[in-house]
Amino acid sequence: MKKTRLRVAYIGGGSRQWARGIMADFALETKLEGEVWLYDIDHPAAQDNQKIGTLYQEHENAVGNWTYHYAKTLDIALKDADIVLISIMPATFKEMVVYGHHPEKYGIYQSVADTTGPAGVMRGLISIPIFVDFAKAIERQCPNAWVINFTNPMTLCLQALYEGFPKIKTFGNCHEVFGSQHDLAKIYNAHKGEELAKREDVDITVAGINHFTWITKMSCFGEDIAPLYDEHVKKVGDPDYEKDPGRFKRIAPFGSEGKIKYDLYRRYNCMAAAGDRHLAEFLPVAYYLQDEKTRDHFKFNLTPVQWRIDNLERAIKKTKAIVAGEQDIHLNKSGEEGLRQIKALYGYEKLITNVNMINKGQIEGLPLGQVVESNALFRYDSVEPIHSGKLPPAVESMVRRHMDNHNLVMESYRNKDFTYAIQALAQDPLCGHLSFADVEKMFYEMKDQIGSYLDYYQS
Amino acid sequence: MKKTRLRVAYIGGGSRQWARGIMADFALETKLEGEVWLYDIDHPAAQDNQKIGTLYQEHENAVGNWTYHYAKTLDIALKDADIVLISIMPATFKEMVVYGHHPEKYGIYQSVADTTGPAGVMRGLISIPIFVDFAKAIERQCPNAWVINFTNPMTLCLQALYEGFPKIKTFGNCHEVFGSQHDLAKIYNAHKGEELAKREDVDITVAGINHFTWITKMSCFGEDIAPLYDEHVKKVGDPDYEKDPGRFKRIAPFGSEGKIKYDLYRRYNCMAAAGDRHLAEFLPVAYYLQDEKTRDHFKFNLTPVQWRIDNLERAIKKTKAIVAGEQDIHLNKSGEEGLRQIKALYGYEKLITNVNMINKGQIEGLPLGQVVESNALFRYDSVEPIHSGKLPPAVESMVRRHMDNHNLVMESYRNKDFTYAIQALAQDPLCGHLSFADVEKMFYEMKDQIGSYLDYYQS
Amino acid sequence: MKKTRLRVAYIGGGSRQWARGIMADFALETKLEGEVWLYDIDHPAAQDNQKIGTLYQEHENAVGNWTYHYAKTLDIALKDADIVLISIMPATFKEMVVYGHHPEKYGIYQSVADTTGPAGVMRGLISIPIFVDFAKAIERQCPNAWVINFTNPMTLCLQALYEGFPKIKTFGNCHEVFGSQHDLAKIYNAHKGEELAKREDVDITVAGINHFTWITKMSCFGEDIAPLYDEHVKKVGDPDYEKDPGRFKRIAPFGSEGKIKYDLYRRYNCMAAAGDRHLAEFLPVAYYLQDEKTRDHFKFNLTPVQWRIDNLERAIKKTKAIVAGEQDIHLNKSGEEGLRQIKALYGYEKLITNVNMINKGQIEGLPLGQVVESNALFRYDSVEPIHSGKLPPAVESMVRRHMDNHNLVMESYRNKDFTYAIQALAQDPLCGHLSFADVEKMFYEMKDQIGSYLDYYQS
Amino acid sequence: MKKTRLRVAYIGGGSRQWARGIMADFALETKLEGEVWLYDIDHPAAQDNQKIGTLYQEHENAVGNWTYHYAKTLDIALKDADIVLISIMPATFKEMVVYGHHPEKYGIYQSVADTTGPAGVMRGLISIPIFVDFAKAIERQCPNAWVINFTNPMTLCLQALYEGFPKIKTFGNCHEVFGSQHDLAKIYNAHKGEELAKREDVDITVAGINHFTWITKMSCFGEDIAPLYDEHVKKVGDPDYEKDPGRFKRIAPFGSEGKIKYDLYRRYNCMAAAGDRHLAEFLPVAYYLQDEKTRDHFKFNLTPVQWRIDNLERAIKKTKAIVAGEQDIHLNKSGEEGLRQIKALYGYEKLITNVNMINKGQIEGLPLGQVVESNALFRYDSVEPIHSGKLPPAVESMVRRHMDNHNLVMESYRNKDFTYAIQALAQDPLCGHLSFADVEKMFYEMKDQIGSYLDYYQS
């Protein structure tokens, strides 16, 4: 069978994490080939990646056949694309400091600060017009392309794509759920006393929204493993069980030990599918985030923006070294599913995995027409959501409340009126201890510091 | 036209407020006549009312033709009834002290303590089995009767009636909305400089749930009065406007000055239709209830249970005096709409008024099959909800969150499992500053004090 | 109270029936006043009506204060209108002959030929672009006006208005239901032996689509009259009952004796609310229309288009005579509700009546967003549908099938593709005896004769 | 991995087609093993199959490990079953003659006579109480079992299972769709000039109801094959193309040449997925069935009940010979998916295939809670429908009309009132040329001949 030839556009083509991962996956891929057009508002970063992608192709293990191009404009990148990948950073670290840390003044600590809460609202307001513009350019240049988004806030970025071009063929990827599958495989293997299962062997039914997804069914090799999980959660907290109680501190700023997930399981009798740092942000501050003592109790860390800034510097240095040929290249598969999804869309396999896309009824009880996360079947030119039933009623209500807020933030954009975004913020569980007056004050303090990225809303 | 002869059953027939009001209305009514069967678990109270009802009939102004009967059992009272009225007090003041005041330990002050928040959840759990039993007795004795409920928590009591007998013909009355109509009539008259409008002249479209109802349209004598209301709200807070800033204290424990309603209007651009003491309880404590300073700022009072206890004693004394013939009887119309509704159900008039009943689609965007409050058309043997459109999105979301909690409390009853009620409490805005662990602790502390009324859930 | 001054636009202002009726009602009206702008593609007809309206005002019984104006263009007529009335004849009698009589070649006889069946589809295709244009002009000139349509096919004309201007405030009037109320009043009076009830005293719940509306509840003066109707239907057919079996022939071409309505009641246990000539067309030809014997059995007449042509000539003659002052003017109320509705929209009264408007949930089980007929409450600037419950399942299915066809005809317009209209025709009960090939052939034969009115679809 | 041990109940265990097929599949299966309990009201037939199943196990090619048991009662068969298979013949050939041929008196010819039309309604009425009883027995004996139905009318049999036990885990299999996949593979291979694709290589999205299913998307090896199908349909009818125009006669009574499917594709621009003999029955008689000339034109045959009777005799003879050991046994895979589905339910593979189950939203626009056919994902203990989008509007309307009729037949059962079934019949496209009076007459003529199987409805 001859290879399928693709034209891929990468928006945010200077990305150091996602772009490098997929370029490595491409280099190791035998069935697809083609050209990749990298576009980034940070043009030198895209140019660097063009060089790195080319170096990947020249690596001795490379089997793929791909050429890399730097695109001066978005429209050049998108022209006749078959696949569009989007992983950008909306605005800059300066704004991230604002929405990530300013709310601390009001007792709101955010462990990730990109999805929900004050950070989610502000980053959403910043991102929506950008993604609406992407969608319009896609409609112009490649209306039939499949568009895969990796950017957060995932839900609002996708919603903005649908807003800009309602017929867009898009979905959003998130690997958080993979972590839960890993955990379940470990629990299964521990129970069996053998390394039998890998992540992919764990079948789950997922339902919810990005980073607040829930697992309503789980099995492994023809066995219901819900009882194993239940038993596992009961053991957690035993001194015997916690062999290394200080570990989470050493792996800061990302580490967590799953204690929030276990706590939620005890409260709602349902397994949450994202990492603890994400889950914590969807709930009242008094639950997990309010002070260091509570966070230590639940054994997870905040990720300060300063760490991200420092990390970027390290990444830039490393990039320079690679481009200068001063550093060896190791070609490794990324572990992400982007490439497998693309291959499924071209008929090479069938794939069942979790994705974010508009709710057409796949999750009963959640609003239609808004982005949700569920399983879907990937086949030739088709991503069909798989029906995942209803969530337990309290979980459904929590998820819907956040979806209502997504809708309010979109209304802010649609009406160019911050009122709706402030109402969303007032309803966010992280703000449940504040007066409406304080919520409003906090909003405008952040807005004033964010400046031009939100000028859009005053036009 | 000859009079319609009715058999009326009154559950909670010892009631000192609602029962007396309707007995007075009956005495002044010319088109209906019949017999009223009073049933109450406080049998002497029902017997007292039987005497008082009879005295009303003997009053010189009485024109109606009604006989009053004391019913030893619920089934006797309901036998072949045409109309069933329900106004009971679920459990006793002892339990009201628990759900009304215990949450103060957690910073939760409740101004009325009968509808939502910790009080609503606990009073709901107490009431549901009682109302399910009422419904089953109605199915047995008078399945075609119209059943009018006055008891709080209105929404859960009605939901329990539907649960016990799904085909029941029922609705719930609430006069809170009348207060908003009065206010609007005053604003209209002030604007015109003449006493032109009465409450009934103000046409409104209402949508929401009991005590958290919203007015989405308002007019008076063919004029849109939304601009008048808007102007009015803007003036409030002016020193000139507040001529008697201490008034609300003097009219404690019930008084309020509408400042919460105005604050909500400013935040949500929509008029809330219940009194401030009710509205405050549907929102985070930090908004209005958290401390005396805040409450004074919004000029409203808490109603302590002790006041209710003292008030009851006064009422009992007064009852004894009436029964003993030591006190003059004044026959006045109650100002409630119960009688007009009954007359409309027998074809004497058409009536458009707000009622609580199951959502069949009258409020777009709110869950079907759960109790909501909207306008309805009363005609012969028929209460047809009038379509009220959609609420503004943030208001809809707030209302739905409370409806989700109603559903969770019902699930607690259905499954005899407190987990759902605790999840409801955790989602209640009044608890938004607490950890889940504290919510759970508070729940069980209340539950343990309430005792036998909740034993039902352990069977 | 001072009069409300209105600017009324009348599209189809040359209309001899509807325009004259409302001009008479205006002349007799004391609370409203203003100016009426008459627009018609038949300009002289509009000019005639301008004169006649003015003559009405000069009549000795006239109490209203209205001036009449002829508008050269649609936009002039609509400019700043408060109320827009639409009663036009889509295309001409030439086309009506085609869609009214050509289907007879295929065994399809149509008694009215303006709503459903081949006539409904073709007349719908002709009307939709016209009404979409009206809606766009309304959006341009008077977006806040209330728009009242009297034109058939009612459902498709309204749907086209919504299509052209989704926020339009519109509804459609139909007096067919009044006839059913008259019949019920007669039955009630006969039962009581006294002339007690008038049409307006009969309360009904209506649900369905225009000319295929159903009455699910009926009462009069506080009495359920469903049993009276049931008894009445049972008697029909008795030789004694049918005192004048030949009457329907003498009152041709309009007469009918209600036998189709009674037959449907026996089959579906539900009263249909339109006249027999309309009802017959919604059902398979073998039911009522197929041959003269069957039509005679059900005692109703076809209305040949030639009769309409002759009738128009008579009307034109009469118009000339009136304009020339050769004929006396009799000012009589029209019996229609248009004026009362307008007064209700200006707050002079509350009115509950049946109207056609978009389904927002008022009829459970029928598609949302498509035009249905139900009761509505008219109040100041507001027409709120009243919830009418569900139709019996077989009736619901029949109604929905026609609504599916409305949707298909709209799809034809939207896609400028006759395929959808032909599919609609194939599904129409009147075509249930034909092969798809014959349906297609019949469609194109009609289309070719209709000519330029459908050219629109080829652009 | 050790084998999974199952207890299988087979209702209709005397079945000569379906039971033999699955017994052969079991004999050739290596991963599952266990015992099969055969129950049939024709007890000797079940006993014969017990012997034949045992003989299969003794065949030299048999690798499976299964024992066969004859169950005297339904409850014995179902006791603790893991899997329940149902393939029965509702009533007898005597009744089949009635519902299959009596309607010919009214011009209604039925090619299969088991799914829709008069046959579907009557066979449905016969089957519903039987399947409700099965469901109740399943609830009693094995509420967790997966229940697979093969019996027609598929939709009503499944609906009856849900009616009897709402939590039943059930689905229904139909191989008609496989035929369409075969055809598409042939078209693909012809285009490529090579035998590349097998049925399973053709990916389709299916939506509709059993025997009236539609394919809205099709691909093969990463290629959209809709254009190939379109081209294929255009060629059909060419004299060159039809090399053997008389073939369909020779393969009577089952044969067909796909001409109805092609005709529907031309009319609705969507491929129907069942065989022509089934499709014909869902449409007006004038389309395909009305006379021999039309049927010959569309090259398909009726299947007379007499043929079935004769065929049964042949089958019984063959059975006797097998049981007597007078005939060699050939163990061949059945080509059905029942066994693969069971294996998927035990986690041995993931399977995507079309099944009949309740609509939870998998087909947008069709009623929820009624049985539809779509793709589903089979995994461990789970059958999750895959979202198949919306059907083209005219197809959706045709499908829904039949679903409305399913609902009416269920209402007949629920209310023990034939009125609903007669209304269904009147709405059935096959009856679109009849008067309601004739429909009613035909119904009662059939009912009177069917006798005791419908006495149930008079209790």
Side-chain angles (χ1 to χ4, degrees), chain D residues 232-245:
Chain D
H232 173 78
V233 175
K234 277 179 196 137
K235 282 190 312 207
V236 175
D238 281 4
D240 282 0
Y241 181 83
E242 302 207 35
K243 282 160 204 146
D244 184 358

Side-chain angles (χ1 to χ4, degrees), chain C residues 372-393:
Chain C
V372 293
E373 187 165 331
S374 73
N375 282 332
L377 169 64
F378 284 71
R379 296 193 295 183
Y380 171 73
D381 196 27
S382 138
V383 184
E384 294 166 316
I386 296 171
H387 202 273
S388 58
K390 268 180 92 67
L391 286 164

Side-chain angles (χ1 to χ4, degrees), chain B residues 133-146:
Chain B
D133 283 351
F134 289 166
K136 286 179 179 165
I138 287 162
E139 186 176 19
R140 269 195 313 270
Q141 299 294 348
C142 52
N144 269 313
W146 279 98

Side-chain angles (χ1 to χ4, degrees), chain A residues 159-184:
Chain A
Q159 202 77 48
L161 290 176
Y162 290 111
E163 184 86 8
F165 174 28
K167 290 194 175 167
I168 199 167
K169 287 152 67 175
T170 191
F171 57 90
N173 273 359
C174 179
H175 52 195
E176 286 289 317
V177 171
F178 299 175
S180 297
Q181 284 175 301
H182 271 299
D183 293 349
L184 291 171

